Tab-separated table of all heavy atoms in Angstrom:
chain	number	residue	atom	x	y	z
A	131	THR	N	141.263	165.004	47.978
A	131	THR	CA	140.249	164.978	49.065
A	131	THR	C	139.087	164.002	48.801
A	131	THR	O	138.219	163.959	49.445
A	131	THR	CB	139.624	166.470	49.153
A	131	THR	OG1	139.059	166.771	47.910
A	131	THR	CG2	140.614	167.525	49.624
A	132	THR	N	139.223	163.204	47.699
A	132	THR	CA	138.268	162.129	47.467
A	132	THR	C	138.358	161.114	48.496
A	132	THR	O	139.456	160.790	48.946
A	132	THR	CB	138.257	161.601	46.065
A	132	THR	OG1	139.521	160.975	45.963
A	132	THR	CG2	138.069	162.741	45.028
A	133	ALA	N	137.190	160.587	48.847
A	133	ALA	CA	137.134	159.480	49.901
A	133	ALA	C	137.699	158.238	49.199
A	133	ALA	O	137.154	157.929	48.163
A	133	ALA	CB	135.812	159.336	50.522
A	134	GLU	N	138.446	157.453	49.961
A	134	GLU	CA	138.820	156.283	49.464
A	134	GLU	C	137.819	155.209	49.708
A	134	GLU	O	137.181	155.263	50.768
A	134	GLU	CB	140.198	155.822	50.103
A	134	GLU	CG	141.340	156.607	49.574
A	134	GLU	CD	142.581	156.097	50.126
A	134	GLU	OE1	142.756	154.908	50.441
A	134	GLU	OE2	143.608	156.946	50.331
A	135	THR	N	137.692	154.140	48.882
A	135	THR	CA	136.768	153.070	49.211
A	135	THR	C	137.501	152.043	50.119
A	135	THR	O	138.437	151.602	49.675
A	135	THR	CB	136.242	152.497	47.861
A	135	THR	OG1	135.670	153.449	47.141
A	135	THR	CG2	135.270	151.319	48.116
A	136	PRO	N	136.920	151.792	51.210
A	136	PRO	CA	137.578	150.840	52.047
A	136	PRO	C	137.569	149.436	51.394
A	136	PRO	O	136.537	149.152	50.749
A	136	PRO	CB	136.760	150.865	53.447
A	136	PRO	CG	135.893	151.992	53.350
A	136	PRO	CD	135.829	152.440	51.890
A	137	ARG	N	138.483	148.646	51.803
A	137	ARG	CA	138.630	147.332	51.197
A	137	ARG	C	137.322	146.519	51.538
A	137	ARG	O	136.909	145.712	50.778
A	137	ARG	CB	139.867	146.614	51.776
A	137	ARG	CG	140.173	145.319	51.057
A	137	ARG	CD	141.561	144.825	51.446
A	137	ARG	NE	141.832	144.854	52.913
A	137	ARG	CZ	141.419	143.844	53.726
A	137	ARG	NH1	140.998	142.689	53.217
A	137	ARG	NH2	141.649	143.867	54.987
A	138	ASP	N	136.623	146.680	52.643
A	138	ASP	CA	135.608	145.919	53.033
A	138	ASP	C	134.201	146.541	52.674
A	138	ASP	O	133.215	146.097	53.257
A	138	ASP	CB	135.532	145.637	54.492
A	138	ASP	CG	135.412	146.886	55.345
A	138	ASP	OD1	135.693	147.980	54.795
A	138	ASP	OD2	134.954	146.683	56.485
A	139	SER	N	134.173	147.584	51.789
A	139	SER	CA	132.944	148.052	51.393
A	139	SER	C	132.681	147.959	49.939
A	139	SER	O	133.618	147.703	49.205
A	139	SER	CB	132.673	149.445	51.880
A	139	SER	OG	133.717	150.263	51.191
A	140	ALA	N	131.456	148.161	49.498
A	140	ALA	CA	131.090	148.028	48.107
A	140	ALA	C	131.622	149.237	47.357
A	140	ALA	O	131.928	150.171	47.784
A	140	ALA	CB	129.582	148.027	47.991
A	141	PRO	N	131.962	148.952	45.992
A	141	PRO	CA	132.500	150.021	45.165
A	141	PRO	C	131.625	151.320	45.245
A	141	PRO	O	130.422	151.146	45.214
A	141	PRO	CB	132.425	149.487	43.751
A	141	PRO	CG	132.357	148.009	43.872
A	141	PRO	CD	131.727	147.812	45.240
A	142	GLY	N	132.284	152.399	45.429
A	142	GLY	CA	131.628	153.666	45.569
A	142	GLY	C	131.018	153.969	46.807
A	142	GLY	O	130.343	154.932	47.040
A	143	THR	N	131.417	153.120	47.925
A	143	THR	CA	130.887	153.299	49.075
A	143	THR	C	132.077	153.950	49.998
A	143	THR	O	133.171	153.461	50.008
A	143	THR	CB	130.549	151.977	49.825
A	143	THR	OG1	129.460	151.305	49.001
A	143	THR	CG2	129.948	152.120	51.182
A	144	THR	N	131.685	155.046	50.765
A	144	THR	CA	132.675	155.655	51.622
A	144	THR	C	132.682	154.887	52.946
A	144	THR	O	131.850	154.164	53.235
A	144	THR	CB	132.430	157.100	51.877
A	144	THR	OG1	131.234	157.288	52.580
A	144	THR	CG2	132.357	157.911	50.557
A	145	ALA	N	133.900	155.157	53.742
A	145	ALA	CA	133.934	154.453	54.963
A	145	ALA	C	132.800	154.791	55.953
A	145	ALA	O	132.298	153.967	56.702
A	145	ALA	CB	135.275	154.886	55.589
A	146	SER	N	132.216	155.996	55.836
A	146	SER	CA	131.191	156.415	56.795
A	146	SER	C	129.855	155.678	56.311
A	146	SER	O	128.916	155.761	57.005
A	146	SER	CB	130.891	157.986	56.763
A	146	SER	OG	130.560	158.369	55.406
A	147	GLU	N	129.749	155.278	55.103
A	147	GLU	CA	128.413	154.626	54.749
A	147	GLU	C	128.445	153.160	54.964
A	147	GLU	O	127.387	152.457	55.022
A	147	GLU	CB	128.281	154.888	53.121
A	147	GLU	CG	127.988	156.229	52.780
A	147	GLU	CD	127.692	156.371	51.271
A	147	GLU	OE1	128.664	155.767	50.466
A	147	GLU	OE2	126.825	156.910	50.842
A	148	ALA	N	129.672	152.469	55.115
A	148	ALA	CA	129.653	151.023	55.276
A	148	ALA	C	129.449	150.734	56.734
A	148	ALA	O	129.491	151.577	57.595
A	148	ALA	CB	131.099	150.418	54.957
A	149	GLY	N	129.140	149.424	57.082
A	149	GLY	CA	128.936	149.089	58.446
A	149	GLY	C	127.409	149.159	58.845
A	149	GLY	O	126.582	149.227	58.010
A	150	LEU	N	127.193	149.378	60.126
A	150	LEU	CA	125.788	149.368	60.580
A	150	LEU	C	125.251	150.775	60.851
A	150	LEU	O	124.025	150.906	61.105
A	150	LEU	CB	125.756	148.608	61.903
A	150	LEU	CG	126.034	147.117	61.739
A	150	LEU	CD1	126.004	146.353	63.066
A	150	LEU	CD2	125.042	146.500	60.719
A	151	ALA	N	126.081	151.807	60.875
A	151	ALA	CA	125.618	153.226	61.077
A	151	ALA	C	124.471	153.567	60.194
A	151	ALA	O	124.551	153.478	58.876
A	151	ALA	CB	126.690	154.089	60.912
Side-chain angles (χ1 to χ4, degrees):
T131 58
T132 59
E134 290 183 30
T135 302
R137 191 170 48 90
D138 65 338
S139 63
T143 305
T144 64
S146 63
E147 290 179 315
L150 296 177

